[in-house]
Amino acid sequence: MRPDAALGSTCGPNPVRFRRWPTETRYDEGVATQQDLPLPIPVSSGTIYVNARCLIRAEGELRVVVVAGLPVHHYAVEDAVAVAYAMVFLADGGHATQVEVARAFACSDRNVRRLLERYSVGGMTGLATRSGWRAGRSRLPSRRRHVIERLKAEAVSNREIARRLGVTEKAIRKQVGPTESTAQQQVLPLGDPPSDRDAPTPAATSAPATPPPPPPPSEPAVVAAPPPGAPLAAPASSLDVDPTNRVVDRLLAAFGLLDDAPPVFANATAVPGAGVLCALPVLVASGIFRSAATLYGEIGPAFYGLRTTLVTLLFMALWRIKRPEALKEHDPQSLGRVLGLDRAPEVKTVRGKLTRLASYGKATALGAELARLRVAQRGQLMGFLYVDGHVRVYHGQRTIPKTHVARMRLALPATTDYWVNDQSGDPLFVVTAVANAGMTKMLPALLPQVRQLIGDRRVTIVFDRGGWSPKLFQQLLAANFDLLTYRKGKSRRISAGRFVPRSATLDGHPVKYLLHDQTVRFLKGTLRLRQVTRLTDDGHQTQVITSRRDLDDFEVAYRMFERWRQENFFKYLREEFLLDALTDYQVEPDDPTRTVPNPARRVLDEELRAARLEVATLEQTYGAAAVDNPEGRRPTMRGFKIAHGKLGQRLRAARDRVVELVARRRLVPARVAIRDVTAAAVVKLATERKHLTNLIKMLAFQAESDLVAFTRQHYARSDDEGRTLLHELFQAAADIEVTPTELRVTLQPLSSPHRTLAVQALCDTLTETATVFPGSRLTLRFAIRPRPQIGLAFPGPRPLRPAPPPPP
């Protein structure tokens, strides 16, 4: 047998061809020659098997590619070009398949195919990774370029364009400005299509065209800002003919030529959920659309612009679609018919719009403007402002500050929002506390905002025991505010005979209390306040502290106990609007210098508590031994101490331990910066998107309150069932009829005749407002179909039968 055949037989089905030996070599020497061949290197633990013929050996930072037992290529791990060539060599040479090479080099087979293509085009140079932008790829999307060109044609600055698009100003400066042809195309007027008689003659065609004269400089294209009471700008018209197919508007939005799709309605019958349009007049009156347009302007070219996004979010809240993800459970075409679109936005679009609005960081300014408008409309209800904190429990994986959750009686990771409600319980504005700050720290921060909204008038701030602090009371009085709160701590009990029965009618409700009125002093007599104590039937006494001396005692007690309206407001928003839900899981950096309780001091407190407990136990044992001391045997105290020497030593040692721990704790600060406590990043939950959703839910609640006030004269149980009536109204179906100037909404009858009559009166009131649907020229008109009269048809009296003839 030939030696090369023997070697080839060990190399698998595709043996490597070796050079023949010289002819003078004898075959009997072949065995000796084979004995001199080097033995194969033992396989190390770092070997990577590509297939049965190929493997890769690791030698430190070097790799050796072995094919059929022979090293064919080596490379360093840091050399990306050599690694790529090794993959190309194995795949292109047929030694391994692309899948096997990808598995060995821990990459995808697509990456191997890319390397083969780059090697076939550019060789080894093509395997190198080029720095910078990939050749042939546009650095800016086409629709963004159209937006930049349009804004540059309108003489908008680079900084404003960058703010609107969410990029840096440098990125805008790098782009080429609008060309001359584009600028001319922007100012070309849209004329009627040319007719046959307008066709140019051959002579006119051959003659050079004369450019039209430029417009006179006396007509500058400057639009003045509308006054606060003026209506919104003229709405844009749609180029779509079919309201159920908005393909033209969507195409314009894709090219960056449309900022918001105008609403286009179609005649329809029994549109589900169209009853929510009844809330549109009060939503428009709240000023949300005008305030948002002033603060945010345009949120970029899109089919679902700022106005459409706000209308969608508000209608979702009133429909009780509590999360954007819940849109999957509703028909988008049916919801779109109510919005004046072909379909409602999907979940991803709604979440993206919230993210875009949050990027502006103007939620606080929007809330302040809405509160200012609310105060201007309902200034008579701002005499008493209720302030309370609402704790939103967090169940995620982030490490955020903890606080006490009263309804769970636990300390859990949470975020605290402080709401300010007016006298009727409707929300005015909301502020997120920093690191769950208490009422005593948040009230001084809220007072400037309240003063900015209310003006110079004196307002009474009502809060619970969480804000009890006589020093804080002095700050409130110094800032021209009155206070009304519960008394905290122990107080002297008043004799039951000193209480006086008091009764009155406030806000249409009869009030009966057993009250006692007196003056109390705090801060060593420097602070004098009024205390009104109420005696309940079970003998419990509730003390109310106030600085209002001009009110009767029953009104003081009534306004304090009406604070439960705010608690009911929190419960209603949790259950109906899902107030505690998170809108995203994003976090943002927190203040690393924020102080927290010192963990070292907490350890010392625990040790001190245990040491004092030991002292108390030893003192009890020592005292019991003194009581049981037999005076006949040990008549003196010296003898008693000698008999109980070990117990006395333990007691003295325990007391010394307490003194030592107190001295050590005095040297340890009570609070330290949070960066000195934890090595992890100091973060907090992102607040901007949550603040935006809170404003949407607040507006929805205010709209329900205004509608309930409209129905109070026509619905006897409006105070108890007014909001339930509105729930049915918002979900009711309605017929939509479109005229050139009106949008007529005819509701289907409700569940009962008296509710139908109440909604009929409400429709008449809403029609008188002459509200225009936002973004259109259509005036809303509301009506409701009367319930069909279902009765029983009673037949007439039966004829009497003739009397039977008498018997013969």
Side-chain angles (χ1 to χ4, degrees):
M1 186 173 103
R2 294 175 54 187
D4 55 349
L7 289 175
S9 62
T10 62
C11 298
N14 297 323
V16 180
R17 298 298 181 182
F18 296 96
R19 182 180 298 177
R20 291 187 177 183
W21 289 2
T23 55
E24 62 271 18
T25 305
R26 296 192 304 271
Y27 289 108
D28 56 353
E29 296 177 356
V31 178
T33 306
Q34 292 180 3
Q35 295 290 337
D36 296 334
L37 289 175
L39 296 176
I41 303 174
V43 178
S44 62
S45 60
T47 301
I48 302 174
Y49 290 93
V50 181
N51 53 25
R53 299 183 303 275
C54 309
L55 56 88
I56 302 174
R57 291 177 178 172
E59 298 179 2
E61 297 296 329
L62 298 178
R63 301 292 185 267
V64 180
V65 180
V66 179
V67 177
L70 297 178
V72 294
H73 182 65
H74 68 277
Y75 61 91
V77 178
E78 295 83 1
D79 193 349
V81 178
V83 174
Y85 178 72
M87 299 168 64
V88 171
F89 174 80
L90 291 175
D92 190 38
H95 304 296
T97 63
Q98 296 180 6
V99 177
E100 293 173 345
V101 173
R103 187 185 304 112
F105 284 85
C107 64
S108 63
D109 52 350
R110 177 183 292 183
N111 193 14
V112 178
R113 287 194 296 272
R114 281 203 200 98
L115 293 177
L116 289 173
E117 294 174 359
R118 290 163 57 182
Y119 182 76
S120 62
V121 175
M124 291 290 292
T125 307
L127 297 179
T129 303
R130 295 181 55 186
S131 60
W133 200 263
R134 180 161 57 89
R137 180 180 176 185
S138 176
R139 295 175 179 263
L140 199 68
S142 59
R143 58 180 181 180
R144 287 290 182 91
R145 289 201 304 271
H146 291 308
V147 174
I148 294 177
E149 293 173 359
R150 177 171 60 84
L151 295 177
K152 292 294 291 184
E154 297 175 0
V156 180
S157 63
N158 292 340
R159 179 174 300 178
E160 179 64 19
I161 296 175
R163 186 192 67 81
R164 294 185 183 183
L165 299 181
V167 297
T168 60
E169 186 178 357
K170 183 178 180 182
I172 301 299
R173 287 198 302 266
K174 287 184 178 180
Q175 305 307 316
V176 181
T179 60
E180 183 179 359
S181 60
T182 305
Q184 293 178 359
Q185 186 177 3
Q186 294 291 338
V187 298
L188 284 177
L190 294 177
D192 297 333
S195 60
D196 296 339
R197 62 181 180 180
D198 296 333
T201 60
T205 305
S206 59
T210 303
S218 60
E219 299 179 359
V222 178
V223 180
L232 293 173
S237 59
S238 175
L239 300 179
D240 285 308
V241 179
D242 187 5
T244 62
N245 186 9
R246 306 291 296 276
V247 60
V248 177
D249 289 340
R250 292 185 182 274
L251 184 61
L252 293 176
F255 281 103
L257 302 177
L258 183 65
D259 295 326
D260 199 351
V264 179
F265 294 89
N267 295 333
T269 58
V271 179
V276 76
L277 293 173
C278 295
L280 203 53
V282 291
L283 292 175
V284 173
S286 67
I288 174 61
F289 300 105
R290 185 181 304 279
S291 301
T294 303
L295 291 174
Y296 292 95
E298 300 175 357
I299 58 174
F303 184 80
Y304 301 103
L306 175 63
R307 175 193 49 79
T308 305
T309 301
L310 292 177
V311 173
T312 303
L313 293 175
L314 290 169
F315 282 1
M316 284 174 56
L318 296 174
W319 277 325
R320 298 307 189 264
I321 302 178
K322 302 177 181 179
R323 295 176 181 268
E325 289 77 9
L327 284 172
K328 303 175 184 177
E329 305 172 4
H330 298 79
D331 182 20
Q333 282 78 17
S334 298
L335 300 182
R337 283 187 291 180
V338 181
L339 299 172
L341 305 173
D342 53 351
R343 59 182 291 122
E346 60 178 5
V347 177
K348 182 179 179 181
T349 303
V350 174
R351 296 182 66 89
K353 296 303 178 182
L354 281 174
T355 303
R356 185 60 183 271
L357 290 174
S359 64
Y360 286 82
K362 295 183 178 181
T364 304
L366 178 62
E369 179 64 19
L370 294 176
R372 185 187 65 81
L373 296 175
R374 190 72 173 177
V375 171
Q377 297 173 1
R378 299 159 56 96
Q380 73 278 5
L381 297 177
M382 303 302 164
F384 292 86
L385 293 182
Y386 295 87
V387 182
D388 196 6
H390 176 68
V391 179
R392 295 184 286 111
V393 181
Y394 174 70
H395 301 284
Q397 303 296 328
R398 302 286 186 174
T399 302
I400 65 174
K402 293 184 178 182
T403 187
H404 178 71
V405 185
R407 60 182 181 272
M408 297 183 181
R409 299 182 180 181
L410 292 173
L412 298 173
T415 303
T416 304
D417 297 329
Y418 282 90
W419 292 77
V420 178
N421 295 52
D422 60 15
Q423 183 173 324
S424 63
D426 291 345
L428 190 60
F429 66 91
V430 58
V431 175
T432 301
V434 179
N436 297 318
M439 181 76 72
T440 55
K441 293 185 178 180
M442 288 301 299
L443 267 181
L446 290 174
L447 294 180
Q449 301 185 35
V450 174
R451 179 59 63 196
Q452 185 177 4
L453 292 174
I454 304 301
D456 297 335
R457 59 184 295 187
R458 196 172 182 90
V459 180
T460 302
I461 306 297
V462 187
F463 50 93
D464 59 2
R465 292 181 179 88
W468 175 263
S469 174
K471 295 182 179 180
L472 175 63
F473 300 163
Q474 286 184 333
Q475 298 180 18
L476 289 172
L477 296 175
N480 198 24
F481 286 98
D482 286 310
L483 62 99
L484 183 61
T485 184
Y486 292 113
R487 181 167 184 171
K488 185 178 180 181
K490 296 181 180 180
S491 60
R492 181 177 299 176
R493 188 173 180 85
I494 302 172
S495 175
R498 301 178 63 183
F499 287 90
V500 179
R502 303 284 288 170
S503 62
T505 301
L506 295 175
D507 296 339
H509 301 282
V511 179
K512 293 183 179 180
Y513 297 129
L514 287 175
L515 301 176
H516 175 267
D517 196 350
Q518 64 179 1
T519 300
V520 291
R521 298 175 181 268
F522 301 98
L523 299 179
K524 299 180 180 179
T526 59
L527 179 62
R528 297 181 57 191
L529 295 175
R530 181 185 180 188
Q531 176 177 308
V532 177
T533 307
R534 178 195 177 188
L535 179 64
T536 59
D537 296 337
D538 58 355
H540 179 73
Q541 296 183 5
T542 304
Q543 295 85 13
V544 178
I545 300 297
T546 183
S547 59
R548 296 288 299 270
R549 301 183 182 276
D550 57 329
L551 300 178
D552 293 333
D553 50 0
F554 58 83
E555 186 173 358
V556 171
Y558 176 78
R559 296 303 178 190
M560 186 68 243
F561 299 143
E562 283 294 288
R563 196 191 65 83
W564 281 102
R565 290 187 178 184
Q566 195 173 28
E567 298 293 343
N568 295 333
F569 161 76
F570 291 145
K571 183 179 180 180
Y572 186 82
L573 255 68
R574 284 201 313 268
E575 297 180 357
E576 297 293 336
F577 296 102
L578 203 61
L579 180 63
D580 294 346
L582 290 177
T583 55
D584 58 1
Y585 297 95
Q586 302 297 324
V587 294
E588 55 188 15
D590 198 2
D591 183 13
T593 61
R594 174 172 56 85
T595 60
V596 295
N598 193 349
R601 189 181 179 91
R602 187 183 302 113
V603 173
L604 290 176
D605 289 339
E606 294 178 358
E607 295 181 2
L608 182 59
R609 190 179 303 109
R612 286 174 174 171
L613 180 61
E614 183 182 3
V615 169
T617 304
L618 292 176
E619 288 178 346
Q620 183 179 3
T621 305
Y622 201 77
V627 172
D628 299 336
N629 178 43
E631 297 181 358
R633 297 172 50 189
R634 291 187 293 271
T636 61
M637 191 65 186
R638 182 171 180 272
F640 174 80
K641 291 182 177 180
I642 293 174
H644 298 84
K646 294 183 178 180
L647 182 59
Q649 291 178 359
R650 292 176 55 190
L651 178 58
R652 287 188 291 272
R655 287 179 173 177
D656 294 341
R657 174 68 174 169
V658 170
V659 174
E660 178 188 359
L661 290 175
V662 170
R664 288 173 53 188
R665 191 184 64 168
R666 190 178 295 110
L667 300 177
V668 177
R671 302 180 68 88
V672 294
I674 190 173
R675 62 185 176 186
D676 300 334
V677 177
T678 176
V682 182
V683 296
K684 63 179 180 180
L685 296 180
T687 58
E688 190 69 19
R689 285 185 58 173
K690 182 59 181 175
H691 200 157
L692 282 173
T693 55
N694 285 344
L695 292 179
I696 294 297
K697 297 169 183 177
M698 181 184 69
L699 288 171
F701 185 88
Q702 291 175 352
E704 289 186 358
S705 300
D706 295 341
L707 292 177
V708 169
F710 289 157
T711 61
R712 186 165 287 115
Q713 297 180 356
H714 310 281
Y715 194 58
R717 296 184 57 83
S718 60
D719 293 339
D720 300 328
E721 300 178 358
R723 297 187 184 272
T724 306
L725 171 65
L726 295 180
H727 296 174
E728 183 182 359
L729 173 61
F730 296 153
Q731 299 295 337
D735 300 338
I736 297 179
E737 181 183 357
V738 185
T739 67
T741 59
E742 294 179 348
L743 179 64
R744 300 176 180 176
V745 181
T746 305
L747 301 169
Q748 300 293 332
L750 300 188
S751 59
S752 59
H754 68 282
R755 288 195 169 193
T756 303
L757 293 176
V759 173
Q760 177 62 55
L762 176 63
C763 291
D764 296 339
T765 304
L766 296 177
T767 302
E768 294 175 358
T769 61
T771 303
V772 177
F773 191 96
S776 71
R777 297 180 177 89
L778 302 177
T779 304
L780 291 168
R781 294 185 64 87
F782 300 96
I784 186 170
R785 295 185 183 277
R787 292 184 59 86
Q789 298 294 332
I790 301 177
L792 297 178
F794 294 98
R798 293 182 179 180
L800 297 176
R801 292 182 180 180

